[in-house]
Amino acid sequence: MSICARRLGSGLLGHSTRNVGRSGVRQVFGGAESTGSGSSSTTSWKLLGAMAGSGFVGGLALAGQVAFAEEFVIHPPALPWSHNGLFKSYNHESLRRGFQVYSQVCAACHSMEKTYWRQLIGVTHSDIELKALAAEHMYVDGPDDEGKMFERPGKLVDELPFPYPNNKAARAANNGALPPDLSHIVFARDGKEDYIFHLLTGYTDAPAGVKVMDGMHYHPYFGGNQIGMAKALYEGVMEYEDGKLLMFLCVRMCVV
């Protein structure tokens, strides 16, 4: 299988650089600076699982559920995730597919800056594969002995790259909205991975009488029913490394 995630769009990971100091990783947000330790979290794995599910789980779970007003929000139905349960564990093939969805689609706008390449070892890829993936991206490091900053290929100790040079550039490219970082997005949303799945796959036409503002998209699961993010996942839009196609408009629910 190929170990290199193909790039999509002009704002992809490979086009970004991040500042890294010798004493640790520096995350720069509009002039503010903080040092991250890179501690692991299951949040990222839940997100990758939801992304993989949104690409392969069939059925939008929207049958019989219609939004009649802009302020009405449908609570995301619970899905039979294989990792939920006291004696359950994550499906690593599914997590790998989720990482591919993030790399080829979501990473064009969204960051995962609190997730480090090394945290994915044995979870989505081997250390050799991740070293190669990290090296595809350039990071700003330094200063060197002459006090100058320089660019170098990514390493396992680096965080996943930011798709824009800074937050202002991110807002400028997204009509003033800052795409949220996805590192802990599962725990930051009511419904957790169920919400993420239905957010990605639940786009539908607005009901009669509901006016959608310019630049917005109707969504029954999003607060206010109008979301700035356009639908990003379509059936057959990408092929997983294992040869399976991204499909979610199926007759029945099938979780891999």
Side-chain angles (χ1 to χ4, degrees):
M1 291 186 293
S2 172
I3 63 174
C4 300
R6 299 184 180 88
R7 296 178 176 130
L8 175 70
S10 60
L12 284 178
L13 300 175
H15 294 173
S16 63
T17 59
R18 300 294 292 139
N19 292 323
V20 182
R22 286 183 173 176
S23 61
V25 176
R26 293 189 301 165
Q27 300 175 346
V28 182
F29 302 97
E33 197 173 285
S34 64
T35 301
S37 62
S39 59
S40 61
S41 170
T42 59
T43 314
S44 299
W45 316 154
K46 286 178 177 289
L47 172 67
L48 296 183
M51 288 179 174
S54 64
F56 198 79
V57 178
L60 300 184
L62 288 176
Q65 304 184 69
V66 180
F68 293 100
E70 292 184 53
E71 65 272 15
F72 182 74
V73 178
I74 299 175
H75 185 77
L79 297 173
W81 299 103
S82 61
H83 56 263
N84 283 339
L86 184 60
F87 299 104
K88 302 294 184 179
S89 63
Y90 293 103
N91 183 312
H92 291 276
E93 292 181 356
S94 179
L95 293 180
R96 186 178 180 112
R97 287 192 291 269
F99 179 83
Q100 187 178 352
V101 173
Y102 169 75
S103 298
Q104 296 187 18
V105 182
C106 309
C109 300
H110 294 274
S111 61
M112 287 185 68
E113 290 191 299
K114 293 179 176 60
T115 301
Y116 293 75
W117 293 105
R118 67 175 182 272
Q119 293 176 320
L120 302 177
I121 297 175
V123 178
T124 62
H125 299 74
S126 68
D127 57 342
I128 296 178
E129 290 175 319
L130 287 168
K131 285 179 180 179
L133 287 172
E136 291 182 1
H137 312 291
M138 300 301 294
Y139 290 74
V140 175
D141 204 345
D144 58 17
D145 293 338
E146 297 180 354
K148 298 179 180 179
M149 303 301 288
F150 59 91
E151 287 191 353
R152 61 159 175 79
K155 303 176 182 179
L156 292 178
V157 296
D158 294 319
E159 76 276 18
L160 271 64
F162 192 66
Y164 301 99
N166 50 61
N167 283 354
K168 288 187 177 180
R171 290 184 182 277
N174 292 278
N175 296 321
L178 180 64
D181 182 89
L182 301 182
S183 303
H184 302 294
I185 198 68
V186 171
F187 287 161
R189 298 293 184 269
D190 184 34
K192 298 184 178 181
E193 55 263 59
D194 293 328
Y195 172 78
I196 301 299
F197 170 82
H198 290 295
L199 181 72
L200 292 174
T201 64
Y203 285 85
T204 186
D205 294 333
V210 174
K211 183 179 180 180
V212 180
M213 296 184 294
D214 292 340
M216 303 296 285
H217 309 271
Y218 180 79
H219 203 300
Y221 293 104
F222 189 76
N225 295 142
Q226 300 194 35
I227 185 173
M229 183 179 72
K231 182 178 180 179
L233 299 182
Y234 293 87
E235 184 174 351
V237 72
M238 61 181 292
E239 181 178 346
Y240 292 125
E241 292 177 347
D242 55 14
K244 296 178 180 178
L245 290 176
L246 187 153
M247 299 176 63
F248 50 86
L249 295 178
C250 304
V251 176
R252 63 185 180 85
M253 183 80 71
C254 55
V255 180
V256 177

